Amino acid sequence: MTTNRDLTRQISVLVLAVVAIFGAAWGAGAFGGTPTSEAADGALSASATPVAPGTTAFSIWSVIYLGLVAYAVWQALPAQRESARQRSMGWLAALSILLNAGWLLVVQAGSVWASVVVMAALLTTLVMILERMRATTSSSLVETVLVDGTFGLYLGWVTVAAIANVTAALKTAEPGDLGLGATGWPVVLLVVAALIAVGFAVHTGGRLTINLAMAWGLAWIAAARWEGPLEDSTVAPVAAAAAAVALLSAVVVRLRQRA
């Protein structure tokens, strides 16, 4: 039975998706906004830290935003109004879009540590969405692409972005090398990222989109360290290996389940 809450949920997701598009444009420098790479004194630029992905990596946002808008339109259809799956995850989807916009706002305001808090909330929300998706079944190929695909990419990319975000915040605090040196900490973080990717693969039965997005981000960390202002002959191959582990772990788990 349709309730007012269902209609409110659908409209909220749709409106927030539109807001997210304008927010993304603002974060790219439109409407008087400062490009994210230049905001907060460049703390989140592609050359800010050894674990910052290269500039091209951020093009994945175009795919994610496109997916979010398509999802928002699809979930607003009357056929999805009483969907148990959308009732379960719809409000969380709306929250993830809101937090995404909130992250852009605090970065524009120059608060790197506040952006870490918002990013942590966003990552937590996306993990909760993942659990709701795993607990329910997709009813069609369209739903699989728009829901599982979009939020899988979203989660995978935000996981890598969160690591880069935390590292950028630590750099602004100028804690020094903390005993491991300028190369040691990036290597540790990349190993952690690879382990998280393996964990996602095992936990989800090899959902490819999550690990594909993580592999994308890690590969562009490698590319940025092989050349550019923060070239590092140690971090680059470790990042490349982490990207390979992220992608292959999902493929292997998926193939084992089908065997």
Side-chain angles (χ1 to χ4, degrees), residues 17 33 36 43 76 81 83 110 116 124 189 201 210 234 249 252 257:
T36 303
R81 195 159 297 163
S83 166
V116 170
T124 300
L189 290 171
I210 299 174
T234 301
S249 59
V252 170
Q257 286 201 337

Side-chain angles (χ1 to χ4, degrees), residues 75-111:
Q75 65 82 43
L77 297 175
Q80 307 309 320
R81 195 159 297 163
E82 298 179 30
S83 166
R85 201 179 203 207
Q86 292 311 304
R87 281 174 170 170
S88 173
M89 64 167 281
W91 286 110
L92 289 173
L95 178 60
S96 76
I97 298 171
L98 185 62
L99 288 169
N100 190 351
W103 185 88
L104 287 170
L105 284 173
V106 296
V107 170
Q108 290 281 325
S111 181

Side-chain angles (χ1 to χ4, degrees), residues 72-259:
V73 172
W74 172 84
Q75 65 82 43
L77 297 175
Q80 307 309 320
R81 195 159 297 163
E82 298 179 30
S83 166
R85 201 179 203 207
Q86 292 311 304
R87 281 174 170 170
S88 173
M89 64 167 281
W91 286 110
L92 289 173
L95 178 60
S96 76
I97 298 171
L98 185 62
L99 288 169
N100 190 351
W103 185 88
L104 287 170
L105 284 173
V106 296
V107 170
Q108 290 281 325
S111 181
V112 182
W113 279 106
S115 74
V116 170
V117 174
V118 178
M119 182 69 81
L122 174 56
L123 183 57
T124 300
T125 301
L126 291 172
V127 170
M128 292 173 67
I129 290 174
L130 171 64
E131 292 308 297
R132 303 294 174 89
M133 291 192 300
R134 291 183 66 244
T136 52
T137 303
S138 172
S139 61
S140 67
L141 177 60
V142 171
E143 181 174 353
T144 298
V145 172
L146 295 183
V147 180
D148 301 76
T150 296
F151 286 96
L153 290 176
Y154 198 1
L155 172 58
W157 171 250
V158 167
T159 301
V160 174
I163 292 172
N165 201 165
V166 170
T167 306
L170 288 173
K171 183 181 178 181
T172 64
E174 299 181 352
D177 294 334
L178 299 176
L180 287 180
T183 295
W185 275 110
V187 168
V188 169
L189 290 171
L190 291 168
V191 171
V192 169
L195 292 174
I196 291 173
V198 172
F200 275 138
V202 173
H203 182 63
T204 66
R207 284 179 181 250
L208 294 176
T209 51
I210 299 174
N211 287 51
L212 181 62
M214 289 194 70
W216 170 266
L218 292 167
W220 279 106
I221 292 174
R225 299 297 80 80
W226 260 310
E227 56 183 24
L230 285 181
E231 184 177 341
D232 192 310
S233 59
T234 301
V235 173
V238 172
V245 168
L247 186 57
L248 290 175
S249 59
V251 173
V252 170
V253 169
R254 199 172 186 86
L255 290 176
R256 285 178 62 87
Q257 286 201 337
R258 291 186 175 184

